[in-house]
Amino acid sequence: MKEGPDIAQIGALIGDPARANMLTALMGGKALTATELAAAGGITVQTASTHLARLEAGQLLSQRKQGRHRYFTLADDAVGKLLENIMGFAAGRGHLRHQPGPKEPALRKARICYDHLAGDFGVRMLDSLVAKGAIDAVGEGLALTGKGESALQCIGIDVGDLKSSRRPLCRSCLDWSERRAHLAGSLGKALLSNFFDKGWARRTAGSRSVIFSPEGERQFLALFPVDAN
Amino acid sequence: MKEGPDIAQIGALIGDPARANMLTALMGGKALTATELAAAGGITVQTASTHLARLEAGQLLSQRKQGRHRYFTLADDAVGKLLENIMGFAAGRGHLRHQPGPKEPALRKARICYDHLAGDFGVRMLDSLVAKGAIDAVGEGLALTGKGESALQCIGIDVGDLKSSRRPLCRSCLDWSERRAHLAGSLGKALLSNFFDKGWARRTAGSRSVIFSPEGERQFLALFPVDAN
DNA sequence: ACGATACTTCGACCGTAACCGAAGCATGCC
DNA sequence: GGCATGCTTCGGTTACGGTCGAAGTATCGT
């Protein structure tokens, strides 16, 4: 029997609650230390250490030693994509964790998906870009138009720079809370950092959620209108 | 911490080798009985039964009782897509199972991915359709052109029927062996059954691989040429 | 009705791995 | 050097889940 690649191995890696929580925490895009990840997983540092070693051996994580800290990140964006995929699937099945905590709404509104914007705001942004004709949506795929390129130039994003990278410019990424696509790829990343740079929004300490300032939110909503229909 | 959907739960479901093997077997698209799945997983029927119950509770599988048999299938194509996703990821990391058995080449050449054609032949078919202008590839997405629609009509596939279904017509699906896209969606399914109907190819008993007859292969290669460049 | 087949449930066993306390390295700071 | 901090390794405990034999339930064939 035994056909094809070994999905059990990575399934098992993701299948432990502590590890899953640590991976989820790393979806925030920031590099985290072993101690921070231990807190995220709800376990002691010793236990976290062995988990992290396993995850690194399985090539889901990579670590960078810096002074007496060890910073862990997801190995690459393929890992991030895989995790968001699984999250989308899990959310679709109603496999949510029952924790109606106060953070949940903020998370649904705007959060980081590895390195780009997700949640209600992420979906709205993509919708608006498509409606404006800045991005062509064909089937599941996305492509930046000439019109879109110049529009982005005005916001302060040089698409030429992004094009030179090996990473695809536009990707669609399934949003687990909205169950619709939002914008990933190097352009998605550039847009999010643009918002940070402008002071429209900021990351939160221990969470994936993104907080918009009142003024930032106003600007964002104006820039990405959604046509009432 | 605990943010977002519970990925650990489904990770754990996929993370057991026996369950992973059973799920992989079901990627062949056929409904299988508990006994067949036990063999696929390399375990006894008792053990398989408990595993299957778990998988069903987790909504990865659905069963249909028929006489004294119970036929299991993947719950829906979202499950198939998820599994192929993970396979692609695992293959990319070199997490292959070391089993250089004789079946491997056949599997790489042509196999079933839930309900459509994958492997070398699957990738070739999509490449050829795109080269011909039958399908537009924009970014990651696929869209059938008018030209493609009439071409399919000639082969004996009525696209109108497919369009009425809720399921998307064209999807791209990452091929774990070729690491490139092949055609999924209802059109992918229709094409594969078309090949079966014509007698060009047939399923194999205990495997996902698809065997083309000499004549069928000739026709297939003629229909989907790949331009030497 | 009886036996055979397909599958599930029960009970018991066992192994793995998750877990933490304590000790061991490594690095930084004074 | 001496001490604090960050992390890993070791040792030992514990518990969960995977496993199968045996028994129980359902369905088919004759």
Side-chain angles (χ1 to χ4, degrees):
Chain A
M1 296 307 116
K2 294 193 157 209
E3 289 180 350
D6 193 357
I7 60 173
Q9 199 173 348
I10 65 168
L13 284 174
I14 301 175
D16 178 77
R19 282 195 292 260
N21 284 332
M22 294 194 284
L23 289 169
T24 306
L26 285 172
M27 286 283 284
K30 278 197 304 188
L32 298 176
T33 66
T35 322
E36 290 170 321
L37 287 169
I43 47 179
T44 62
V45 267
Q46 308 93 294
T47 311
S49 180
T50 67
H51 280 309
L52 291 169
R54 283 173 86 91
L55 288 170
E56 199 189 359
Q59 303 179 56
L60 295 189
L61 257 50
S62 62
Q63 62 165 302
R64 193 163 27 102
K65 212 173 152 180
Q66 197 165 310
R68 50 183 163 179
H69 294 280
R70 295 210 177 176
Y71 286 98
F72 290 86
T73 51
L74 300 186
D76 54 43
D77 58 342
V79 179
K81 198 179 174 206
L82 177 72
L83 292 175
E84 186 82 5
N85 256 334
I86 301 179
M87 284 186 192
F89 180 86
R93 311 271 137 162
H95 285 172
L96 295 167
R97 260 147 343 145
H98 1 287
Q99 32 93 28
K103 293 178 311 185
E104 171 101 16
L107 211 58
R108 287 182 179 275
K109 181 176 172 190
R111 68 174 177 282
I112 297 186
C113 173
Y114 188 54
D115 61 5
H116 53 270
L117 187 63
D120 179 30
F121 272 37
V123 170
R124 178 196 175 106
M125 181 172 76
L126 178 56
D127 282 350
S128 179
L129 286 169
V130 171
K132 267 187 219 171
I135 287 184
D136 259 348
V138 180
E140 295 185 289
L142 304 174
L144 187 64
T145 63
K147 190 176 167 189
E149 189 161 342
S150 50
L152 287 169
Q153 198 77 47
C154 299
I155 313 181
I157 294 179
D158 185 13
V159 180
D161 285 355
L162 301 178
K163 276 183 178 165
S164 59
S165 120
R166 216 172 318 139
R167 189 172 169 197
L169 195 61
C170 297
R171 299 188 76 113
S172 75
C173 184
L174 186 65
D175 197 288
W176 63 257
S177 56
E178 300 293 314
R179 304 192 55 179
R180 296 182 47 210
H182 61 245
L183 180 64
S186 59
L187 182 57
K189 176 178 179 174
L191 277 162
L192 180 59
S193 15
N194 187 262
F195 302 151
F196 287 149
D197 293 345
K198 283 182 185 158
W200 287 7
R202 59 179 174 80
R203 313 171 103 103
T204 48
S207 162
R208 289 174 65 192
S209 53
V210 171
I211 307 291
F212 276 75
S213 71
E215 173 62 12
E217 179 157 344
R218 211 186 53 74
Q219 300 257 24
F220 178 91
L221 295 177
L223 187 57
F224 302 108
V226 54
D227 47 337
N229 51 348
Chain B
M1 294 304 120
K2 292 194 157 211
E3 289 181 350
D6 193 358
I7 61 173
Q9 198 172 346
I10 64 166
L13 284 175
I14 301 176
D16 178 75
R19 283 195 292 261
N21 285 331
M22 294 194 283
L23 288 169
T24 306
L26 285 172
M27 286 282 285
K30 278 196 304 189
L32 297 176
T33 66
T35 324
E36 291 170 320
L37 287 169
I43 46 179
T44 61
V45 268
Q46 308 95 294
T47 310
S49 180
T50 68
H51 281 310
L52 291 170
R54 282 174 87 91
L55 288 170
E56 199 189 0
Q59 302 179 56
L60 295 189
L61 257 49
S62 63
Q63 63 164 303
R64 195 162 25 103
K65 212 174 150 179
Q66 198 166 309
R68 52 182 162 180
H69 294 279
R70 297 209 176 178
Y71 287 97
F72 290 86
T73 53
L74 300 185
D76 53 42
D77 57 342
V79 180
K81 198 179 174 209
L82 176 72
L83 292 176
E84 186 81 5
N85 256 336
I86 300 179
M87 284 186 193
F89 180 85
R93 309 273 138 163
H95 285 172
L96 294 167
R97 269 162 319 161
H98 358 290
Q99 33 92 28
K103 294 179 309 186
E104 171 100 18
L107 212 59
R108 287 184 179 273
K109 182 177 173 190
R111 67 174 178 281
I112 298 185
C113 173
Y114 188 52
D115 62 4
H116 54 269
L117 187 64
D120 179 32
F121 271 37
V123 170
R124 179 197 175 107
M125 181 171 76
L126 178 56
D127 282 351
S128 179
L129 286 168
V130 171
K132 267 187 220 173
I135 288 183
D136 260 349
V138 180
E140 295 184 289
L142 304 174
L144 187 64
T145 63
K147 190 175 164 190
E149 190 161 342
S150 51
L152 287 169
Q153 198 77 47
C154 299
I155 313 182
I157 294 178
D158 186 13
V159 180
D161 285 356
L162 301 177
K163 276 184 180 165
S164 58
S165 119
R166 215 173 320 138
R167 188 173 170 196
L169 194 62
C170 297
R171 297 188 78 115
S172 74
C173 183
L174 185 65
D175 197 290
W176 62 257
S177 56
E178 301 292 315
R179 306 193 54 180
R180 297 182 46 208
H182 61 246
L183 179 65
S186 59
L187 182 57
K189 178 179 179 174
L191 277 161
L192 180 59
S193 14
N194 186 263
F195 302 150
F196 287 148
D197 293 345
K198 283 182 185 159
W200 287 7
R202 59 181 174 78
R203 311 171 104 103
T204 47
S207 162
R208 291 174 65 193
S209 52
V210 170
I211 305 291
F212 276 75
S213 70
E215 174 62 13
E217 179 158 343
R218 212 185 53 76
Q219 300 257 25
F220 179 91
L221 295 177
L223 188 57
F224 303 108
V226 53
D227 47 336
N229 52 347

